[in-house]
Amino acid sequence: MPDVTFYRNEALPFLEAKQCTKSDLTYQKHFHEEYSIGSIDEGETAPGATEQCIR
């Protein structure tokens, strides 16, 4: 079962962190007006249905 945790701080309302462990969650393609920075500590991800996995 995936474990997803969000971290927020009232002093930094423009910043949000998301931590996923043991996650196989999938999302349909979508758009955000904000920037997103990711880090993969273990495993891999496929950012799009036809794209290669990133490790």
Side-chain angles (χ1 to χ4, degrees), residues 11-48:
L12 304 168
F14 51 84
L15 184 65
E16 174 183 86
K18 176 182 176 184
Q19 178 184 20
C20 302
T21 56
K22 299 179 183 176
S23 175
D24 59 356
L25 296 173
T26 58
Y27 301 96
Q28 292 188 7
K29 287 189 178 186
H30 60 284
F31 177 79
H32 291 270
E33 294 184 9
E34 304 86 7
Y35 288 103
S36 177
I37 301 171
S39 172
I40 302 168
D41 296 329
E42 186 178 314
E44 61 189 25
T45 187

